[in-house]
Amino acid sequence: MIDIDSIATVGITSISIWILVILGKLYLNLKANHLKKEHPNLKNRIYTANTKLYLTRLTCLLLSLILAFYSLYKVKSTEVESLKEFESADVLFVVDVSLSMNTIDVRPNRLKRFQDLALRILTSLKGNRIGIVVFAGQSFSFCPLTSDITAVSDYIQALGVEMVGAKGTDLAIALERVNKIRKKNNHISSQITVIVSDGEDHENQNLPKVTGEVMVWGIGTEEGSVIEYRDPGTGKGGYVTLDAGLSDSPMAPNLVVSKINGEKLKSLADQNNGTYHDVSFQADGAYALLDTIQTVKKQKIQMIEHFKNEDGAHPFLIAAFAFLFLERILNLFVQKIPKGIYTFFLILIFFGLGRLEAWELDPGGNSIERGVKSYHSKNYNESQKEFEKAKEYIQDDPRLLYNESASAYQLGQYKDAIGLSEKILAHPKADPDLKAKANFNLGNVYSKLGDKKKALQSYTKTLEIDPDHLSAKKNIEHLTKKKDQGQNQNQKGNESLPEPERRNQKENQKQEKSDAERILDPLSQDSILKNKKGGSIDNEKFW
């Protein structure tokens, strides 16, 4: 980092050099004028400037440099307070971090499923205060209520079953802590509590009621599975056994099998007049949370922001620019310019500059910029109009087609969105990245239309181009899990059918399953949830 002394040395050296150059140029100009007086025949052969005008111009340039350098020493840093008012809801996640949350019946495990789900909706929670309370045998406030979603993201990714020393599951003490937090913030009318657990070991507890809106997210399956534990430092571990040991094999006979206690979680939701959602394989609970935040009456919050205001240098910089501008004007008079040029410039300034602000140098680009802003403001009708205007100036660009398809998708114009996306895929100028986005957009449209097979095909094509497209993987996971659950329900219902009909049903389901497996063949389902960065399932990126 350059210190102020080094800057001073460079500045003084530069100014000294300029003074010597100015004196040298002034001396040459004086000598040339003297020579022209002594030899009149050289008058038209040697061009010199008026000495006074030339001296004034060089003085203006020197003053501009000195003032610019001096402004560095006049910068003052002052603390400024700004009062910001916004509407906010308080969302408090109460997360079970007991050992059973490492059960692998939900891949990669129950706790990581919550982490992935929370990170995916975190950007949609922007503007609200978010906090996290964790519990196992004990409870503590892990993340205080904050509107900084970047900090919340770090806290979510840091969750682990080893963070609470006391083993077990004491939800009662966690809910008591929630009520204490709520009591401190009783001026906030919109308080939402999201309890995340598998419901194990809650049977003998007398749970207190929680104030505000309550949602319960259950994670796990009724069949259950084994619990995997690995040391976060060394990575060594295994599967938890009944004698509190670890086994290398998930098929060992004495392993602990953890199952979700859905009935207990549902009764917890009913006790608090809340709602219960199984988020093991579907994100319905997350979407319900976002809908609740939109509908609850939000409290106006006033926040005092502190920031530094750098001031003091502006007057000197303005003076420096003024002298520099004057030097450029005087230079026009010093140079040998044809007569009448000054009159032309004056006419241009008075009659041209008045309308110069109305000229658009890039009307197509400006329309796209306005369209993008309207899209991010969720004003999709206006966004679509701006992209239509841009087409008058920008012809045959697949990126503009993508912007149009995104707006059409948000407006529910699915037929138009499909047509535009297919044009992008057939366009010779579309690069692989744009084609991946177009396929992803098609997958979203087909998913909305209920055509799961085409949606899966489009998401798979996205991954063929971009294997790291996390949102496409997550959408595939959502569709395939939902389909598997529907097939399981159909199998239970078919048990009452006659044997020949049941056999035909099974053959049809087997055929459907093989088609889905063929579509998903290039994917690794085990890796879908391992990426913790999250991401939006909708296309929101523009060129």
Side-chain angles (χ1 to χ4, degrees):
M1 186 175 178
I2 301 174
D3 58 9
I4 194 68
D5 292 333
S6 301
I7 295 173
T9 302
V10 172
I12 292 171
T13 303
S14 301
I15 291 172
S16 301
I17 292 172
W18 267 106
I19 290 173
L20 293 175
V21 170
I22 288 170
L23 290 175
K25 293 179 77 172
L26 191 61
Y27 174 75
L28 290 175
N29 192 74
L30 286 170
K31 291 297 276 183
N33 281 332
H34 183 68
L35 190 63
K36 283 165 67 175
K37 284 182 181 180
E38 291 182 349
H39 304 280
N41 58 327
L42 296 176
K43 187 173 183 180
N44 295 324
R45 299 178 63 184
I46 301 175
Y47 174 75
T48 56
N50 180 281
T51 302
K52 292 181 179 178
L53 192 61
Y54 195 60
L55 179 61
T56 305
R57 178 211 159 198
L58 295 176
T59 303
C60 287
L61 179 60
L62 185 60
L63 286 172
S64 176
L65 289 172
I66 292 172
L67 287 168
F69 171 68
Y70 186 66
S71 68
L72 297 174
Y73 290 90
K74 302 303 290 183
V75 176
K76 295 177 182 177
S77 181
T78 55
E79 290 283 345
V80 178
E81 287 187 356
S82 175
L83 188 64
K84 186 179 179 182
E85 188 175 85
F86 60 95
E87 291 186 337
S88 171
D90 276 3
V91 181
L92 194 58
F93 288 99
V94 184
V95 185
D96 185 350
V97 291
S98 60
L99 194 58
S100 64
M101 291 295 285
N102 258 17
T103 304
I104 60 174
D105 54 352
V106 178
R107 290 287 182 177
N109 62 46
R110 295 171 181 174
L111 184 58
K112 290 192 182 298
R113 169 60 179 171
F114 163 71
Q115 290 174 299
D116 176 76
L117 200 59
L119 291 171
R120 284 164 62 181
I121 65 170
L122 196 56
T123 53
S124 301
L125 296 175
K126 189 175 182 180
N128 301 286
R129 297 202 307 170
I130 307 163
I132 302 173
V133 171
V134 295
F135 70 95
Q138 294 177 344
S139 172
F140 64 89
S141 181
F142 182 52
C143 172
L145 286 165
T146 177
S147 56
D148 185 353
I149 62 171
T150 304
V152 175
S153 172
D154 293 337
Y155 278 108
I156 291 172
Q157 294 182 69
L159 290 170
V161 296
E162 69 284 339
M163 63 194 311
V164 177
K167 304 303 178 186
T169 310
D170 194 342
L171 178 58
I173 194 171
L175 296 183
E176 288 174 2
R177 185 174 297 277
V178 170
N179 284 330
K180 287 180 182 178
I181 295 172
R182 294 305 191 199
K183 204 171 279 187
K184 290 180 182 178
N185 298 276
N186 56 7
H187 61 286
I188 306 294
S189 59
S190 47
Q191 299 180 339
I192 304 170
T193 303
V194 182
I195 302 170
V196 184
S197 178
D198 53 19
E200 278 214 326
D201 300 331
H202 295 181
E203 291 85 351
N204 301 322
Q205 293 181 341
N206 185 18
L207 302 177
K209 286 194 69 173
V210 180
T211 57
E213 297 279 341
V214 174
M215 300 180 71
V216 179
W217 289 3
I219 304 181
T221 62
E222 293 181 0
E223 297 81 13
S225 187
V226 295
I227 301 172
E228 184 180 18
Y229 177 78
R230 299 203 173 274
D231 185 273
T234 63
K236 295 180 180 180
Y239 302 93
V240 180
T241 62
L242 293 171
D243 56 359
L246 293 175
S247 171
D248 293 333
S249 172
M251 306 303 293
N254 63 333
L255 297 179
V256 175
V257 176
S258 174
K259 301 178 182 180
I260 189 173
N261 190 340
E263 293 302 320
K264 186 65 181 178
L265 295 175
K266 288 176 184 176
S267 66
L268 173 61
D270 293 338
Q271 176 188 336
N272 292 279
N273 298 319
T275 56
Y276 171 74
H277 302 274
D278 188 336
V279 296
S280 304
F281 304 108
Q282 299 185 41
D284 296 344
Y287 301 138
L289 171 61
L290 298 179
D291 291 340
T292 302
I293 291 174
Q294 293 296 326
T295 55
V296 296
K297 183 181 178 182
K298 295 186 179 181
Q299 185 76 21
K300 285 189 176 181
I301 304 294
Q302 288 186 338
M303 179 183 290
I304 298 177
E305 291 185 342
H306 295 271
F307 58 92
K308 286 187 176 181
N309 186 25
E310 306 288 347
D311 200 4
H314 296 86
F316 301 96
L317 287 174
I318 292 170
F321 278 113
F323 278 112
L324 183 62
F325 179 75
L326 181 60
E327 185 272 337
R328 291 289 86 195
I329 296 296
L330 291 173
N331 187 54
L332 294 174
F333 292 92
V334 169
Q335 299 295 330
K336 193 174 183 179
I337 298 176
K339 293 180 179 180
I341 192 71
Y342 308 116
T343 306
F344 171 76
F345 275 114
L346 287 173
I347 293 172
L348 182 65
I349 290 171
F350 283 109
F351 293 97
L353 286 181
R355 289 178 292 174
L356 187 60
E357 293 179 0
W359 297 351
E360 279 197 90
L361 301 180
D362 184 14
N366 291 342
S367 292
I368 290 170
E369 186 178 352
R370 289 192 294 269
V372 172
K373 287 181 179 178
S374 298
Y375 182 93
H376 288 302
S377 302
K378 298 184 178 181
N379 189 354
Y380 303 120
N381 283 311
E382 188 64 29
S383 174
Q384 193 176 54
K385 289 178 184 177
E386 291 295 342
F387 293 142
E388 282 291 333
K389 287 182 186 176
K391 288 173 71 176
E392 298 175 10
Y393 305 95
I394 300 173
Q395 302 293 330
D396 198 32
D397 196 318
R399 296 174 297 177
L400 184 53
L401 293 175
Y402 174 75
N403 287 8
E404 287 187 277
S405 69
S407 294
Y409 168 77
Q410 296 291 355
L411 289 169
Q413 300 168 358
Y414 298 132
K415 187 176 179 180
D416 294 339
I418 291 172
L420 290 165
S421 297
E422 288 176 347
K423 282 184 181 179
I424 296 168
L425 296 174
H427 203 289
K429 293 182 182 179
D431 56 30
D433 182 56
L434 193 62
K435 287 183 178 180
K437 292 179 180 179
N439 276 312
F440 182 70
N441 196 24
L442 273 174
N444 288 343
V445 175
Y446 285 130
S447 180
K448 286 282 188 183
L449 293 173
D451 192 337
K452 295 180 183 176
K453 187 173 181 179
K454 285 188 177 180
L456 287 169
Q457 288 174 338
S458 298
Y459 290 139
T460 304
K461 288 177 182 177
T462 302
L463 293 175
E464 288 174 359
I465 300 171
D466 181 8
D468 297 324
H469 200 295
L470 183 60
S471 296
K473 292 181 180 181
K474 289 174 180 175
N475 288 6
I476 288 174
E477 177 208 24
H478 175 71
L479 289 174
T480 52
K481 294 293 183 184
K482 196 170 184 180
K483 187 172 182 179
D484 290 343
Q485 286 182 347
Q487 288 177 351
N488 291 337
Q489 290 175 358
N490 289 336
Q491 287 174 359
K492 290 179 181 178
N494 293 339
E495 290 177 359
S496 61
L497 295 174
E499 182 62 28
E501 292 186 24
R502 196 187 314 168
R503 192 180 299 113
N504 289 335
Q505 289 276 7
K506 287 182 177 179
E507 287 178 1
N508 292 335
Q509 288 174 0
K510 186 176 180 181
Q511 180 62 37
E512 288 180 7
K513 187 175 181 181
S514 64
D515 290 341
E517 287 175 349
R518 176 178 55 77
I519 293 169
L520 299 174
D521 184 57
L523 306 180
S524 173
Q525 288 292 305
D526 290 338
S527 66
I528 288 175
L529 289 177
K530 288 183 180 178
N531 191 320
K532 298 193 294 184
K533 292 183 180 179
S536 172
I537 63 169
D538 289 330
N539 38 327
E540 293 183 355
K541 290 188 177 179
F542 291 79
W543 58 295

